[in-house]
């Protein structure tokens, strides 16, 4: 149990996905998984709770640490415990944070994420991907594996493709439920995302997202059937790539496919 002399521990709130990590060695390991200090110094921790990761983060003199926490009780606890974080504790919902306004410089993100919003956190990361060179996070093991899994795997899905388009993903290690207070029902996994070299997709990005979503919504069908509603020209749809299923396609395959079927880009209009 993490408690500090004279400070009452935060009462875990289920609706905020609060599961406090009790294992110091694991906390230190998660923080050590950041590699960013070689190039950048700003690190934002999402959902610090009682600061089990924060404590190790602020030990590293190369980092400037900011934390973002939605829970008032945790914020009060953190303000009391980490006086050195004064002015760098951002209270509120990460999903509503204007990252580029608050952080003009690129920054890394770290956190034991609230599992109920981990996908939404990743969609937000994708929006600001050129600003976020690295993410190290813990989330539900199953989701962590899915995100990091390569094509051809049953767990490969929409978020795997979107994230792998812009990040190199590594599954680092598994964390058992008993090291949390309260214990979650599921195992957890820690992953690292590092921004890759891809500047743009070289195709209509919105259409790419649409094709990927549509393809996986009918993941057992061939792409020819799964993408029927996109009204593919008959001769295009006869091509061999449409015999495959979405889970067999790499990011490059999806780009190739999107370029084939995206609507013509015209110079008309604004
Ligand atoms: N890092 C701590 C707590 C992890 S639990 C530890 O490892 O012990 C997840 C934390 O995310 C909680 O403290 C919860 O209050 C916070 N949280 C939940 N939703 C959030 C949101 N939308 N924005 C910011 N923080 C959030």
């Amino acid at each position: 149990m993490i408690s500090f002399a004279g400070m009452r521990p935060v009462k875990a709130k289920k609706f905020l996905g609060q599961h406090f990590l009790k294992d110091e060695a694991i906390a230190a390991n998660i923080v050590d998984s950041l590699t960013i200090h070689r190039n950048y110094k700003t690190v934002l921790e999402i959902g610090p709770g009682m600061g089990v990761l924060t404590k190790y983060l602020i030990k590293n003199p190369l980092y400037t640490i900011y934390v973002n926490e939605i829970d008032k009780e945790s914020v009060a606890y953190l303000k009391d415990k980490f006086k050195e974080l004064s002015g760098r504790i951002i209270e509120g919902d990460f999903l509503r944070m204007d990252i580029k306004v608050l952080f003009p410089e690129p920054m890394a993100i770290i956190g034991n994420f609230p599992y109920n919003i981990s996908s939404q956190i990743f969609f937000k990361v994708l929006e600001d991907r050129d600003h976020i060179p690295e993410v190290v996070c813990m989330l539900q093991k199953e989701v962590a594996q899915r995100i990091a899994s390569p094509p051809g795997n049953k767990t490969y899905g929409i978020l795997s493709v979107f994230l792998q388009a812009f990040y190199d993903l590594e599954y680092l290690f598994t964390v058992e439920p008993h090291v949390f207070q309260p214990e979650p029902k599921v195992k957890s996994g820690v992953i690292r995302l590092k921004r890759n070299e891809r500047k743009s997709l070289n195709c209509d990005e919105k259409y790419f997202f649409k094709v990927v979503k549509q393809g996986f919504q009918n993941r057992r069908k061939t792409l020819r059937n799964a993408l029927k509603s996109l009204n593919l020209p008959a001769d295009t749809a006869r091509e061999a790539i449409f015999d495959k299923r979405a889970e067999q396609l790499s990011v490059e395959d999806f780009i190739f496919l999107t370029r084939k079927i995206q609507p013509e880009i015209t110079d008309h209009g604004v």
Side-chain angles (χ1 to χ4, degrees):
M1 191 61 200
I2 317 156
S3 64
F4 300 92
M7 292 174 74
R8 200 182 319 144
V10 172
K11 192 173 174 306
K13 300 161 199 74
K14 208 173 170 185
F15 73 101
L16 291 176
Q18 287 183 336
H19 295 278
F20 299 114
L21 179 63
K22 298 181 294 180
D23 189 310
E24 298 289 334
I26 296 174
N29 248 339
I30 294 173
V31 170
D32 283 346
S33 302
L34 274 175
T35 65
I36 187 131
H37 52 84
R38 292 172 204 155
N39 299 305
Y40 305 95
K41 63 186 184 87
T42 310
V43 178
L44 171 67
E45 183 188 354
I46 302 176
M50 282 188 278
V52 66
L53 299 182
T54 322
K55 185 170 57 188
Y56 292 98
L57 285 165
I58 59 177
K59 274 190 193 155
N60 189 330
L62 297 173
Y63 294 143
T64 307
I65 307 297
Y66 290 80
V67 301
N68 164 231
E69 175 56 67
I70 200 169
D71 175 36
K72 283 193 165 34
E73 192 187 348
S74 297
V75 169
Y77 183 97
L78 294 162
K79 280 187 175 158
D80 215 24
K81 175 156 184 243
F82 299 103
K83 300 275 193 272
E84 60 273 62
L85 272 182
S86 170
R88 287 184 279 124
I89 299 178
I90 305 164
E91 184 175 344
D93 183 351
F94 173 72
L95 299 176
R96 301 168 72 100
M97 183 188 278
D98 199 336
I99 293 179
K100 283 194 185 132
V101 170
L102 282 169
F103 301 100
E105 301 294 327
M107 53 143 194
I109 285 181
I110 191 165
N112 293 343
F113 286 175
Y115 296 175
N116 49 340
I117 59 162
S118 57
S119 298
Q120 291 169 72
I121 293 176
F122 287 123
F123 280 110
K124 191 167 169 68
V125 165
L126 278 169
E127 273 173 32
D128 282 329
R129 58 186 179 251
D130 290 332
H131 221 65
I132 305 173
E134 187 168 312
V135 180
V136 167
C137 59
M138 177 149 68
L139 56 162
Q140 194 175 328
K141 180 184 180 188
E142 201 190 300
V143 181
Q145 281 177 323
R146 188 179 322 145
I147 287 174
S149 74
N153 199 305
K154 272 206 175 68
T155 59
Y156 181 67
I158 296 173
L159 206 49
S160 332
V161 178
F162 290 174
L163 285 172
Q164 288 173 27
F166 297 105
Y167 287 91
D168 294 333
L169 273 93
E170 292 164 87
Y171 185 92
L172 300 178
F173 54 91
T174 299
V175 181
E176 300 295 326
H178 68 85
V179 299
F180 295 92
Q181 171 65 41
E183 291 188 21
K185 289 201 180 72
V186 292
K187 289 190 183 190
S188 305
V190 177
I191 56 173
R192 177 167 53 215
L193 292 75
K194 283 170 121 174
R195 184 77 173 85
N196 64 21
E197 297 289 309
R198 201 191 302 277
K199 290 282 163 268
S200 85
L201 289 180
N202 248 326
C203 66
D204 181 333
E205 206 168 282
K206 283 208 177 105
Y207 210 72
F208 173 87
F209 288 132
K210 191 170 172 167
V211 168
V212 174
K213 270 191 193 157
Q214 192 95 27
F216 279 105
Q217 263 158 23
N218 305 287
R219 64 185 298 145
R220 281 193 300 266
K221 294 186 180 172
T222 62
L223 287 162
R224 186 170 299 115
N225 286 322
L227 302 180
K228 220 163 208 153
S229 66
L230 300 180
N231 291 323
L232 308 178
D235 52 339
T236 306
R238 269 194 290 275
E239 294 184 30
I241 193 166
F242 293 98
D243 291 330
K244 297 193 176 195
R245 283 172 285 126
E247 65 197 35
Q248 298 173 288
L249 262 53
S250 65
V251 170
E252 286 70 27
D253 292 335
F254 271 113
I255 293 172
F256 173 79
L257 185 72
T258 305
R259 286 172 66 88
K260 263 187 183 309
I261 64 178
Q262 70 194 17
E264 289 286 316
I265 298 167
T266 64
D267 294 333
H268 313 306
V270 193

